[in-house]
Amino acid sequence: MAIFNPFVPSFKINPYLQYSRLRSDEPVHRSMALQAWILTRYEDCLNVLKDIENFSSDGRYASGEIGRAVREQRKTAPLGDVDSLLTVDPPTHTHLRGIINREFTPRRVERLLPRIEEIACELCNDIDVLDEFDLIDSLALPLPVIVIAELLGIPPSDRQLFKEWSNKLAATTDVFNSEQAIKEAQETTQELILYFSDFMNARRRFPEDDLISAFVHAQSDGVELSDDEILAFSILLLVAGNETTTNLIGNGIMALVNNQKSFSLIKENPNQISAMVEEILRFDSPVQGVVRIAKNDLSFDGTDISAGEVVMAMVGAANHDPEQFVDPETFDINRLNNRHLSFGLGPHFCLGAPLARLEASVLFKEFFKRFSVIESARSDVERGGTLLLRGFTKLPILVKK
Ligand code: HEM
C-alpha cells in the first residue's frame, strides 16, 4: 500500500519524491490522516478541475468533521455568509467573476507596469550595496504586498498595517488550522472590514484610479457587487495574491541558485524571462494543491469516491508527471508545451495570474541586471508554507556584481 506522509520534515524539503512514488503506486490515494483523496497524475488533476458538475469548491458540501468545521466557521466568521469567488460554484461563481473581470482587467494590470518597475528598482536599490541578504524579507515579500495595496488604492502610510494583516490572514491557508490561527484571522478580518468600509466611503466621495473606486462607482450602474462582496473580494486578494507571489519569487531564485547554467542562460537572454517564470511555476509550484469536494457518488479511475469526500488535486505533483512533461525533474527554461497547472484550470483559473507573472518578470529582470553571481549564503533557509502552499520564509543569498 502506498504511503503519503506530508508531516515528515523531508516532505517540506522535497515533496516530489513522495508524489512520484504515489503516482506510480496509487495515483488515487486515500489519506486517512487528511481524510481526503490525493491525486498526483496530471490528467486526473486536470479532469477534477474541469469537472464542475461533479466537484465543488464549496467546503460546506464536505461530509464529516471537515464539512461541519467549514459550516460552523462560515456561521461565525465575519463576512462568513458572503459568497467568496474562490469557494462558490457556478452559476453564482459565473455571475460574480463576470462582474469582477470587468474591473480587474488585463489593461488595469498592464497599467501597473511602470509602478511595478519603480517598486522593484527601489527594493533592489536597498540591497544593491550588500553582498548577502534575505531575499524573502528584502524583495519577495514586500513587492506583492505593495502592488496589491496600490492596486486597491491603499495609501503608502498604511502599507505596514496592510502587510501585517496580510501575514495574519496567510496563516490560515492550511487544510487544518489551529483554533488560535482561526481566531486571529477572524480578528484581522474584522479590522480589515472596518478599514475598507471607511475607505470605500472615502472613494465614493472622491474617486481615484484604483480598484476600490472602480467597484464602488460601478454600483451606481445597476447589478454590481454589494458592499459586503467588495469587502470579501478585497480581503481575498490579500490571501490569494501575496504569499503565492512571494513563493514564486523565492522558489525561482532557489531554482536558479541550484541551476547555475540556467542562470547564465537567462543573463545572456533576458527576453526568455517569461518562459523562465513558467518553468519556475511548473518546477516548484507556489500552490501545490487545490481542494474540491465530490458532489456525487462517482467512480474515478476505477476508485469509488462518495459524495462529500474531499479531493486534493496536487498540481505540484501533476507538474512533475512524466506522462505530461519530458524529463520533469529537470529545470529547463527552454521547455516546450509547458502546460503546468500552477494557476489551476477551469472557471476558478487564477484571476491574478497576469499580475503574478508581471511582478515576477519585472523583479527578476531588475535583479539579473545588477548581479552576475547568486549563491546560497551560509545561514540556514527556512521553509514556510503548508500542504497547499510551498515557499520560503527565509532565503539568505550571496550576490556579486
Ligand atoms: C504565483 C502566484 C499565484 C499562484 C501560483 C496562484 C494560484 C492560484 C490557483 C491555483 C487558483 C485556483 C484555486 C482553485 O481552483 O480553487 C487561484 C485562484 C485565484 N487567485 Fe491566484 N495565484 C497566484 C497569484 C495571485 C494574485 C497575484 C492574485 C491577485 C492579485 C490572485 C488572485 C486569485 C483569485 C481572486 C482567485 C480565485 C479565482 C476564482 O475562484 O474565480 N492570485 N490562484
Side-chain angles (χ1 to χ4, degrees):
M1 200 180 90
I3 292 174
F4 179 61
N5 185 354
F7 306 107
V8 289
S10 60
F11 182 81
K12 254 199 175 173
I13 298 166
N14 179 4
Y16 303 108
L17 272 174
Q18 279 205 44
Y19 291 155
S20 166
R21 248 179 270 138
L22 214 53
R23 198 187 302 109
S24 32
D25 295 352
E26 204 176 18
V28 182
H29 170 75
R30 182 71 189 163
S31 162
M32 296 319 282
L34 294 166
Q35 287 294 294
W37 293 98
I38 310 294
L39 309 183
T40 41
R41 272 206 304 235
Y42 184 90
E43 209 184 330
D44 289 342
C45 292
L46 181 113
N47 287 339
V48 163
L49 295 180
K50 277 198 314 203
D51 185 356
I52 51 173
E53 296 301 320
N54 284 308
F55 295 98
S56 167
S57 293
D58 190 337
R60 284 175 299 185
Y61 289 131
S63 49
E65 199 38 56
I66 296 179
R68 240 193 316 277
V70 174
R71 288 190 291 273
E72 199 48 45
Q73 220 176 306
R74 294 259 329 233
K75 260 192 251 158
T76 53
L79 297 175
D81 57 341
V82 181
D83 286 328
S84 164
L85 197 59
L86 196 59
T87 54
V88 77
D89 293 328
T92 312
H93 176 269
T94 320
H95 169 76
L96 212 54
R97 177 108 182 200
I99 298 172
I100 288 167
N101 279 348
R102 257 184 276 155
E103 305 302 340
F104 199 109
T105 57
R107 268 201 62 229
R108 186 178 287 280
V109 172
E110 276 162 32
R111 282 211 309 268
L112 284 172
L113 175 64
R115 260 311 278 155
I116 297 175
E117 285 174 336
E118 233 170 64
I119 301 162
C121 184
E122 278 166 25
L123 291 171
C124 283
N125 282 344
D126 290 342
I127 48 141
D128 201 51
V129 290
L130 304 174
D131 42 29
E132 180 174 340
F133 55 86
D134 177 8
L135 183 101
I136 303 300
D137 211 35
S138 311
L139 305 177
L141 203 97
L143 180 71
V145 177
I146 297 172
V147 171
I148 291 185
E150 293 205 0
L151 179 74
L152 289 168
I154 309 295
S157 51
D158 291 342
R159 230 180 242 165
Q160 186 54 32
L161 198 60
F162 197 67
K163 193 171 149 190
E164 283 160 22
W165 282 329
S166 163
N167 289 347
K168 282 192 195 154
L169 287 182
T172 49
T173 48
D174 210 345
V175 184
F176 300 113
N177 297 300
S178 69
E179 273 186 25
Q180 178 62 19
I182 292 172
K183 193 166 160 268
E184 271 190 22
Q186 293 194 349
E187 283 164 10
T188 306
T189 307
Q190 203 62 62
E191 287 170 34
L192 276 161
I193 291 171
L194 287 177
Y195 179 89
F196 276 123
S197 301
D198 280 351
F199 194 69
M200 278 158 57
N201 285 335
R203 287 300 195 254
R204 220 164 247 136
R205 277 181 292 144
F206 305 107
E208 300 226 359
D209 182 19
D210 57 50
L211 204 54
I212 295 282
S213 300
F215 280 130
V216 293
H217 283 274
Q219 283 180 325
S220 50
D221 299 341
V223 192
E224 293 298 339
L225 298 186
S226 66
D227 277 11
D228 277 355
E229 284 169 339
I230 298 175
L231 286 169
F233 177 67
S234 305
I235 295 169
L236 173 62
L237 285 189
L238 296 193
V239 183
N242 283 339
E243 191 175 348
T244 47
T245 312
T246 298
N247 292 353
L248 168 59
I249 296 166
N251 295 358
I253 292 293
M254 193 53 161
L256 292 173
V257 165
N258 291 330
N259 294 276
Q260 293 287 336
K261 253 198 197 148
S262 300
F263 181 52
S264 311
L265 263 177
I266 203 71
K267 290 273 303 172
E268 281 163 29
N269 301 299
N271 55 350
Q272 259 182 284
I273 284 188
S274 303
M276 185 196 77
V277 168
E278 296 312 304
E279 180 62 350
I280 296 167
L281 284 159
R282 182 200 70 82
F283 183 72
D284 205 11
S285 180
V287 172
Q288 291 278 306
V290 175
V291 179
R292 293 290 185 267
I293 314 298
K295 276 170 139 175
N296 307 301
D297 291 342
L298 48 101
S299 171
F300 190 82
D301 264 358
T303 303
D304 288 337
I305 296 184
S306 304
E309 286 183 332
V310 176
V311 177
M312 290 188 190
M314 301 309 292
V315 292
N319 290 346
H320 284 244
D321 185 345
E323 293 279 318
Q324 176 67 22
F325 298 98
V326 179
D327 215 354
E329 303 311 322
T330 301
F331 182 72
D332 176 6
I333 62 173
N334 294 315
R335 183 175 291 281
L336 300 172
N337 296 323
N338 189 351
R339 295 202 190 90
H340 62 74
L341 297 179
S342 304
F343 287 124
L345 197 89
H348 290 276
F349 181 83
C350 177
L351 179 80
L355 181 60
R357 287 174 162 136
L358 187 68
E359 287 180 55
S361 304
V362 168
L363 184 69
F364 288 141
K365 198 167 160 206
E366 187 61 41
F367 190 80
F368 301 155
K369 239 175 26 196
R370 294 173 189 239
F371 303 113
S372 59
V373 176
I374 45 169
E375 290 167 11
S376 282
R378 280 226 184 92
S379 32
D380 287 341
V381 301
E382 267 176 32
R383 284 200 168 274
T386 58
L387 175 62
L388 302 179
L389 295 178
R390 176 165 169 79
F392 296 94
T393 47
K394 221 176 198 189
L395 185 52
I397 55 165
L398 289 175
V399 290
K400 284 191 201 130
K401 293 214 163 166

